[in-house]
Amino acid sequence: MTVRGIGVDLVDVDRFAATLERNARLGPALFGAAERAGPARTLAGRFAAKEALAKALGSPGGMRWHDCEVSTLPSGQPTFTLRGTVKETATRLGIQTVHLSISHDGGFAIAMVVAEG
């Protein structure tokens, strides 16, 4: 496999939580129903993951937030489910595997994505 893209994003958890509180429509616009469960640090990490994925895919326009869902495997490992516009972009770029890591520390959430094909 060849690395086709790398993306990283950092989110200030308190700032992100305040933004979600100010705009009640933002959470549903960014996250599917299952993704919205959890504390602010979880949501910030999931948002960072989506941003990192967009960067790994070259930040093409037209991708929808709901077309990449972040979930957690029973092992605790975060993972993506890609569909629609995001899956189409990944397929067009020859990406077969997407690796995701999310971490939280000091009031920040960070995510890194490596896309391979």
Side-chain angles (χ1 to χ4, degrees):
M1 292 251 180
T2 301
V3 173
R4 304 267 182 183
I6 298 172
V8 66
D9 196 66
L10 178 70
V11 175
D12 181 310
V13 174
D14 289 339
R15 184 174 166 203
F16 187 71
T19 301
L20 289 175
E21 284 182 32
R22 277 193 313 272
N23 185 346
R25 288 187 262 167
L26 186 59
L30 296 174
F31 305 111
E35 290 179 296
R36 289 193 301 270
R41 70 185 230 126
T42 298
L43 297 177
R46 289 177 177 170
F47 180 72
K50 291 179 182 222
E51 284 281 328
L53 177 61
K55 291 171 184 174
L57 297 177
S59 299
M63 291 193 310
R64 296 186 186 113
W65 291 109
H66 284 248
D67 287 347
C68 62
E69 182 177 324
V70 181
S71 60
T72 305
L73 298 174
S75 66
Q77 178 184 353
T79 188
F80 285 113
T81 299
L82 307 182
R83 60 184 156 273
T85 59
V86 177
K87 186 173 184 174
E88 290 165 10
T89 299
T91 299
R92 181 175 43 79
L93 295 172
I95 294 168
Q96 299 172 357
T97 305
V98 177
H99 304 278
L100 170 61
S101 181
I102 301 173
S103 188
H104 307 83
D105 190 35
F108 291 92
I110 190 168
M112 180 171 179
V113 170
V114 176
E116 291 184 311

